Amino acid sequence: MSSEHINPDKCIACTICQVHCPVAKVTPNFLGPRLIGPAYERFRLLDVTEEESLHYCANCKNCDIACPQGVAISTLNMVARCEYTEKNGGKLRDWVLSHGGFLADLFKYIPTWLKNFGMHNPVTRLLLDAIGISKKAPIPKFDKHFRLIYKKLKQPKLDKKIVYFPGCYVDDYDYSIGLDMIWIFNQAGYEVIVPKQFVCCGLPLVSNGFMKDAAKNAAKNVSVIKEYQEKGIPVVTGCPSCALMFKKDVPEMFPDVVYDSYKGGVMDAQEFLMGCVERGELNFAGKNSTKSIIYHSPCHLRAQGIGLPSIDLIEKLTGSKIQNAQAGCCGISGSYGFKKEKYQIGLDVGKELFDTIKNSNCEIVTTECGTCQTQIKHGTGQKAYHPVTVIRKLVENK
Amino acid sequence: MISTTVIIIGGGATGSGVLRDLSMRGIPAIMLEQGGLAYGTSSRFHGLLHSGARYAVNDNESAKECIEENMILRKIGKHCVELTEGFFVQTPEDDKEFAPKWLEGCKTAGIKTEEISLEEAFKLEPNLSRDISKVYRVPDSCIDGFRLVWQNAMSARRYGGELYTYHKVVEIITESGKVKGVKALNKVTNEIVEFGCDYIVNASGSWAGEMVALSGLAPLPISPDRGTLVVFNHRFTSRVINRLHKSSDGDIFVPHGSVTILGTTSAEADTPDDKTPTSQEVKRLLDIGRVVFPHVDDYRILRAFAGTRPLYGAKGAGRSASRNFNIVNHSEEGLAGFVSIFGGKLTTYRLMAEKVSDVVANMAGVTAKCRTAEEPIIPDVSEHTLSKAKKYFPKGAVNIVADRIGADFDKVLDNIEKSNEKNELVCECEMVTLSEIKYVAQDDASYYLNDIRLRTRLGMGTCQGTFCSLRAIAALENENIEMKLKPSDNIKNFLQERWNGLRPALWGGQLREAELTRAIYLSTLNFDGEGYEA
Ligand SMILES: Cc1cc2nc3c(=O)[nH]c(=O)nc-3n(C[C@H](O)[C@H](O)[C@H](O)COP(=O)(O)OP(=O)(O)OC[C@H]3O[C@@H](n4cnc5c(N)ncnc54)[C@H](O)[C@@H]3O)c2cc1C
Ligand code: SF4
Ligand code: SF4
């Protein structure tokens, strides 16, 4: 018995989580959160054979949101999966999908077109398919490396500073979100610092079974966060999954890494910006957009329990009315929906959201999470934008 | 009248061991039990297959018996025994002078001990207190009492032995100084059933004194002594953890399947049926247990239960009375054919059965020798069956189910294949599937849902029956499998039994659980409400 095990005792077997798990709803291959989490955990301590089903948990955390007893269900699942991977070795496919940040960093000086040619030509896709990455999956295309662009960027000299954790999606696949983020913080009077020591938040590593690598990343990132927190500079991220990783998973999985005043570590950027609006630091006077906008709240945002700040933010800053899709999970869960055996599950889970978006006939689709954006594009054909990008577009009339 | 050669009174470990032993020797025998199988102490004990180390200093004879039987049971009772090994740990509260005496005692009894480094001990059992200063490894193990009784009974049946559960012996029929039979009350039909026999083995445990009195002989000085145990929701130790000191209350933790059990206390009881623990006892056990597992209060308690030991000798002797077993051949007191066996431990049940069967065989002039030390209680489940089962059972459940139902696994699989049904999990906390429930429910000895519980562990996990009892009853109704109570009474009876064990430790997580149960059964389903009918 190892010490990392999480006490499963809080579960009262009410099965509420079972009803809220999007994956269990669409596939019999997954036995559901209660069974695979707290119930099976009692047998893991007995060293029984692991259930195949464990690998179907998407780590979307809807179970955690629903559980009335505060059971760390998804963490139970992830710790078990990591233990399984450590014992039985991980799949090459899972290693590749979870070490994207590491790989992208390794290749960051290779020209983008060449990287994309390497990754997205049919031959590569067939090879990837052979190792278990669905050839139909909407793997995002590489973009210029955000932090290389940031290094050359001239920001106005501003008194207030803020640290921005970009996350892999912005770093590797869509630097424009990062630039929009810098733009809006500058507008609010903050100069943005993007420390070069930041590495992947580790969530993909955890989800794919690589706990030890995730622990290393957590330690690196937390030491950077600490340095700035001690100087009184807040740390934010625009990515809900990174934020959740720092707020919930890091303290739960790697309690040794966090320090006393760590608290959440990293704040949701949109929540922070709403604070700026409330303090009068940020507004775009006279903006009154009439665009129709539909918003999808990523599961990992809802799991933070901070409400939906992006809705308020867009409405306050642009004057538009937002329709909240309220249609559950998009089904991608990071790299989950890219996997061959899970690709269809991802689409089935996302169906309600896709239909809601299509039926809304809205002109703009917005959501914070990069992979949600990718999946929405894949499922509806419509491009989805980060809320801050939407604000910039509307404000600058682009 | 039903006639046989030997009547065995008591369906605990001892009684079922005797039934099997006699049946294997070819002596016709019937076992009578007032409740379900293992209704008495054999299902209300700690679950420790003693290495004997606990008795090494005080009772070296017992220690020797234990280690010998321990080694035998590992071989013949594979499906009931979990080979966990045990630790003896020295805490700051324990007398340091005890260790050398104990090591000497273990050596004399032939019990292997090995000191291991604290570093290794804490790696193996990370939840142990860091104040522990010495750790020894011993061949303790864990044993499932329910299962042991069932499997002995199943094996005995294959050799022609018979058993009647819910038959309480109310009269011992004698004629000119010799036993002739017994009268038993069928507790389900309330009828008196007469059994004729030449010999009676009184294996009624803590009730043995009452039984002797029933025969008209002078009562035996047997007093029941009550021990309370606490069950935790999960397994926070993978080994039996004993304190390295003179045996005392609350000093053993035993992992038992998916749960951990802490115990026990020792207190004079009024009757053998006195099995309701008090909250004070539970709290006292926690106070003692905290010395070994400092986070014991963070672990949720599922329930508490108590069992009684038959202590032979003056009343009030408690822990100092001998745990060795006793055989009394009442022929010497003028009642021929009547033998009592009591005391001992579950660990030594086989030896006890052997010795008393020797006495009976001798009286009956049968020369066949005891074979129980060599022949496995149930045959192994074949690899073929196990791999076939993977198709229908959760992966992790296959070996667990194999241990629970043994050779019958094949029949269960056949039934699934024939009916072509999906083998749904009925009890998620203990991984009991529909097919297993159906199969056990159809056994002659299954009268109530409680009997199914004992054999499958249905309702013995986290939810304590809240979800599985309803599911199980619904499934049985669906299949037209009749039980002795109508469905609603069967559930009530079941939940009431669970509730009795919840009550003494009703706080923390389990209180929340109980509130959920109450909400479902008393509010939503209106189980005890006015106008309730079903
Ligand atoms: C708290 C506690 C913890 C223990 N822990 C351990 C341990 O960890 N390891 C170990 O080896 N031993 C342990 N023991 C001892 C062990 O449990 C007993 O020695 C053993 O279970 C006794 O089995 P038995 O068959 O003799 O008695 P029982 O199991 O009590 O069986 C006697 C049966 O006779 C039946 N009966 C009584 N009267 C009648 C009647 N009139 N008609 C029909 N049937 C009748 C009863 O219902 C009962 O089922 C423990 C004991 C206690 C009390
Ligand atoms: S994390 Fe998501 S997929 Fe996994 S059990 Fe919870 S709700 Fe289901
Ligand atoms: S919602 Fe929470 S308490 Fe209820 S079954 Fe799921 S994990 Fe257990």
Side-chain angles (χ1 to χ4, degrees):
Chain A
M1 206 173 96
S2 88
S3 54
E4 292 109 58
H5 279 278
I6 291 182
N7 184 339
D9 286 351
K10 274 198 273 176
C11 171
I12 57 166
C14 69
T15 67
I16 288 176
C17 56
Q18 298 275 120
V19 184
H20 283 83
C21 172
V23 175
K25 227 177 266 176
V26 301
T27 171
N29 287 338
F30 186 52
L31 292 174
R34 139 139 173 88
L35 263 172
I36 289 304
Y40 211 78
E41 188 65 13
R42 296 172 66 241
F43 289 93
R44 284 188 190 108
L45 299 171
L46 233 167
D47 243 354
V48 302
T49 320
E50 192 49 81
E51 267 311 307
E52 189 55 36
S53 199
L54 171 66
H55 305 294
Y56 280 85
C57 169
N59 198 20
C60 70
K61 310 213 187 263
N62 281 294
C63 49
D64 300 353
I65 303 174
C67 174
Q69 301 295 329
V71 179
I73 313 170
S74 60
T75 300
L76 279 167
N77 294 354
M78 290 310 116
V79 170
R81 186 183 288 172
C82 290
E83 211 161 73
Y84 177 90
T85 307
E86 243 160 60
K87 246 190 241 158
N88 301 283
K91 287 197 173 108
L92 170 64
R93 185 261 324 259
D94 296 348
W95 193 91
V96 170
L97 285 176
S98 59
H99 289 72
F102 168 79
L103 289 173
D105 205 50
L106 205 64
F107 301 146
K108 74 179 164 198
Y109 297 106
I110 298 177
T112 311
W113 67 268
L114 189 60
K115 273 192 286 194
N116 277 326
F117 175 76
M119 281 299 287
H120 287 271
N121 73 62
V123 180
T124 314
R125 286 310 296 263
L126 277 177
L127 276 175
L128 290 177
D129 194 78
I131 65 163
I133 299 174
S134 168
K135 58 179 183 287
K136 292 183 252 168
I139 301 183
K141 290 214 163 49
F142 283 108
D143 208 338
K144 285 183 209 142
H145 197 74
F146 167 68
R147 276 183 277 176
L148 289 182
I149 297 179
Y150 161 82
K151 253 193 359 207
K152 295 184 196 137
L153 194 75
K154 291 257 174 313
Q155 286 183 68
K157 281 275 161 271
L158 297 164
D159 286 345
K160 290 182 282 185
K161 314 270 182 235
I162 192 149
V163 170
Y164 174 50
F165 182 90
C168 298
Y169 192 82
V170 169
D171 251 345
D172 305 325
Y173 303 113
D174 195 349
Y175 70 87
S176 73
I177 299 176
L179 294 181
D180 294 339
M181 205 53 98
I182 294 178
W183 168 81
I184 200 165
F185 275 110
N186 289 168
Q187 295 286 329
Y190 290 84
E191 190 179 326
V192 178
I193 304 166
V194 188
K196 66 171 190 302
Q197 300 93 325
F198 273 145
V199 289
C200 164
C201 73
L203 186 76
L205 294 166
V206 168
S207 294
N208 282 289
F210 301 97
M211 192 64 87
K212 284 196 175 133
D213 294 346
K216 279 186 216 146
N217 283 22
K220 268 189 213 158
N221 287 327
V222 169
S223 73
V224 180
I225 293 169
K226 184 166 185 227
E227 182 191 329
Y228 287 100
Q229 277 192 338
E230 277 168 356
K231 288 188 210 153
I233 303 177
V235 186
V236 299
T237 181
C239 170
S241 297
C242 300
L244 188 63
M245 181 72 194
F246 287 117
K247 287 180 182 181
K248 180 173 181 287
D249 296 13
V250 166
E252 248 168 39
M253 293 174 190
F254 318 114
D256 300 344
V257 164
V258 297
Y259 46 93
D260 282 348
S261 57
Y262 174 77
K263 300 215 187 72
V266 175
M267 196 174 177
D268 178 74
Q270 292 69 240
E271 186 187 22
F272 187 89
L273 288 166
M274 244 341 265
C276 295
V277 173
E278 277 155 14
R279 288 191 297 272
E281 293 170 341
L282 180 65
N283 79 68
F284 302 106
K287 272 293 149 205
N288 220 339
S289 161
T290 51
K291 292 263 195 234
S292 55
I293 305 176
I294 185 163
Y295 167 74
H296 160 65
S297 56
C299 303
H300 289 176
L301 179 85
R302 280 181 281 112
Q304 291 174 50
I306 57 168
L308 307 174
S310 289
I311 293 188
D312 294 343
L313 193 66
I314 303 177
E315 288 188 345
K316 280 264 158 46
L317 291 178
T318 69
S320 26
K321 284 298 301 161
I322 311 282
Q323 179 184 341
N324 182 5
Q326 294 206 55
C329 177
C330 75
I332 192 81
S333 288
S335 57
Y336 184 86
F338 297 156
K339 299 177 181 175
K340 214 168 164 177
E341 73 281 13
K342 286 151 192 152
Y343 169 78
Q344 192 54 43
I345 295 177
L347 287 183
D348 292 346
V349 167
K351 184 166 184 312
E352 190 189 341
L353 176 65
F354 307 150
D355 290 348
T356 308
I357 290 175
K358 282 190 263 182
N359 296 336
S360 76
N361 291 321
C362 284
E363 293 157 275
I364 300 177
V365 185
T366 180
T367 187
E368 293 91 339
C369 167
T371 49
C372 293
Q373 290 162 18
T374 308
Q375 177 81 338
I376 289 173
K377 174 87 204 301
H378 191 55
T380 66
Q382 220 172 328
K383 186 162 163 53
Y385 298 91
H386 191 278
V388 169
T389 304
V390 171
I391 292 169
R392 188 176 192 183
K393 274 182 186 302
L394 296 180
V395 168
E396 295 186 341
N397 278 325
K398 277 200 252 177
Chain B
M1 195 177 73
I2 303 159
S3 291
T4 183
T5 307
V6 186
I7 289 283
I8 301 153
I9 307 173
T14 312
S16 63
V18 176
L19 182 67
R20 175 169 189 255
D21 195 325
L22 292 176
S23 304
M24 284 170 74
R25 297 188 204 210
I27 304 174
I30 291 178
M31 178 171 86
L32 303 177
E33 165 57 52
Q34 62 176 345
L37 275 181
Y39 166 83
T41 313
S42 300
S43 66
R44 309 190 142 268
F45 81 126
H46 208 155
L48 170 56
L49 179 62
H50 283 284
S51 62
R54 181 172 173 78
Y55 306 109
V57 175
N58 266 12
D59 191 350
N60 210 267
E61 270 313 299
S62 269
K64 266 193 205 112
E65 265 169 26
C66 282
I67 188 66
E68 282 166 20
E69 286 301 305
N70 176 312
M71 292 301 153
I72 293 173
L73 284 183
R74 283 163 189 249
K75 279 190 307 189
I76 65 158
K78 260 204 272 184
H79 298 281
C80 308
V81 176
E82 194 196 335
L83 296 176
T84 55
E85 81 179 13
F87 280 172
F88 271 72
V89 302
Q90 182 179 297
T91 75
E93 293 185 8
D94 300 327
D95 176 14
K96 291 195 169 52
E97 304 301 306
F98 185 77
K101 280 187 269 178
W102 176 79
L103 283 169
E104 190 53 44
C106 285
K107 206 170 149 196
T108 314
I111 302 161
K112 267 201 205 124
T113 56
E114 179 201 352
E115 182 164 9
I116 66 167
S117 73
L118 294 179
E119 193 193 350
E120 191 187 350
F122 296 145
K123 203 174 124 216
L124 292 170
E125 294 301 343
N127 297 322
L128 279 178
S129 162
R130 295 303 185 261
D131 293 335
I132 286 167
S133 54
K134 249 185 200 314
V135 178
Y136 291 92
R137 178 180 261 157
V138 296
D140 279 345
S141 265
C142 306
I143 184 157
D144 188 318
F146 303 127
R147 209 179 280 165
L148 182 77
V149 172
W150 264 101
Q151 294 186 351
N152 267 290
M154 289 199 307
S155 163
R157 268 183 185 162
R158 278 194 291 276
Y159 283 104
E162 285 178 70
L163 55 105
Y164 289 76
T165 53
Y166 299 99
H167 279 66
K168 180 185 167 113
V169 172
V170 289
E171 194 183 321
I172 292 178
I173 309 166
T174 62
E175 201 183 285
S176 33
K178 211 180 144 358
V179 298
K180 286 306 258 184
V182 301
K183 283 188 184 159
L185 171 72
N186 178 331
K187 295 217 294 205
V188 180
T189 60
N190 264 328
E191 283 162 355
I192 296 284
V193 189
E194 212 179 305
F195 295 85
C197 66
D198 302 328
Y199 308 97
I200 295 176
V201 176
N202 170 18
S204 56
S206 304
W207 291 262
E210 284 178 19
M211 209 49 55
V212 172
L214 204 60
S215 73
L217 291 171
L220 284 176
I222 294 178
S223 56
D225 180 81
R226 191 165 65 115
T228 290
L229 296 146
V230 179
V231 190
F232 296 89
N233 178 51
H234 79 270
R235 196 174 157 112
F236 50 83
T237 170
S238 303
R239 289 170 180 72
V240 177
I241 309 291
N242 305 264
R243 291 270 289 274
L244 188 53
H245 67 186
K246 188 162 163 276
S247 300
S248 166
D249 283 4
D251 55 358
I252 313 182
F253 287 86
V254 180
H256 188 84
S258 55
V259 302
T260 309
I261 307 179
L262 160 65
T264 155
T265 57
S266 175
E268 226 174 271
D270 295 333
T271 71
D273 287 296
D274 181 0
K275 51 195 186 193
T276 318
T278 64
S279 298
Q280 282 74 7
E281 285 171 327
V282 175
K283 287 194 184 138
R284 213 167 63 77
L285 283 172
L286 289 177
D287 285 341
I288 306 169
R290 214 170 284 125
V291 178
V292 178
F293 287 102
H295 299 295
V296 77
D297 302 281
D298 297 342
Y299 310 139
R300 163 155 149 209
I301 299 177
L302 282 182
R303 59 193 287 111
F305 65 93
T308 51
R309 318 169 171 91
L311 290 187
Y312 191 36
K315 220 172 157 58
R319 231 173 250 295
S320 60
S322 170
R323 299 285 156 100
N324 267 337
F325 61 86
N326 305 277
I327 294 178
V328 181
N329 189 340
H330 300 282
S331 309
E332 290 144 27
E333 297 161 59
L335 185 55
F338 191 42
V339 192
S340 290
I341 174 142
F342 53 89
K345 284 164 273 294
L346 191 119
T347 303
T348 55
Y349 92 95
R350 192 212 61 83
L351 181 67
M352 292 164 68
E354 173 179 340
K355 294 293 176 213
V356 80
S357 299
D358 282 350
V359 173
V360 173
N362 194 26
M363 290 194 288
V366 174
T367 52
K369 287 266 158 324
C370 172
R371 304 204 315 274
T372 56
E374 292 85 36
E375 190 175 306
I377 304 175
I378 57 163
D380 277 349
V381 177
S382 73
E383 279 303 321
H384 173 73
T385 305
L386 291 178
S387 74
K388 201 163 86 177
K390 286 194 186 121
K391 237 168 72 191
Y392 303 103
F393 287 82
K395 253 196 202 163
V398 171
N399 285 323
I400 295 175
V401 179
D403 284 345
R404 281 201 292 244
I405 54 180
D408 288 354
F409 208 166
D410 280 315
K411 287 187 210 150
V412 173
L413 281 176
D414 278 353
N415 288 346
I416 302 177
E417 282 182 340
K418 262 191 247 136
S419 67
N420 209 1
E421 72 192 3
K422 200 165 165 272
N423 191 23
E424 304 267 9
L425 270 178
V426 174
C427 166
E428 293 167 353
C429 309
E430 292 293 332
M431 292 209 272
V432 189
T433 60
L434 179 63
S435 57
E436 207 184 333
I437 304 245
K438 267 167 45 184
Y439 186 73
V440 172
Q442 279 161 318
D443 191 293
D444 283 345
S446 300
Y447 286 56
Y448 307 107
L449 204 49
N450 259 326
D451 296 318
I452 302 180
R453 168 176 73 81
L454 291 181
R455 238 185 115 178
T456 60
R457 288 192 64 80
L458 174 89
M460 293 176 79
T462 306
C463 85
Q464 290 286 300
T466 303
F467 289 89
C468 53
S469 56
L470 200 57
R471 285 190 201 136
I473 283 290
L476 295 178
E477 273 296 291
N478 240 355
E479 301 283 334
N480 294 320
I481 298 173
E482 261 189 52
M483 310 235 46
K484 295 290 178 213
L485 285 174
K486 66 176 185 179
S488 55
D489 291 339
N490 213 352
I491 293 192
K492 265 193 216 169
N493 174 43
F494 184 82
L495 291 176
Q496 190 58 47
E497 190 280 337
R498 297 282 81 192
W499 172 240
N500 289 345
L502 291 169
R503 213 161 20 195
L506 203 53
W507 53 74
Q510 207 54 14
L511 178 58
R512 290 166 200 242
E513 189 78 69
E515 278 302 294
L516 179 64
T517 314
R518 247 162 48 90
I520 293 176
Y521 287 92
L522 303 188
S523 188
T524 309
L525 298 176
N526 193 28
F527 250 56
D528 65 347
E530 239 178 89
Y532 173 77
E533 41 190 315

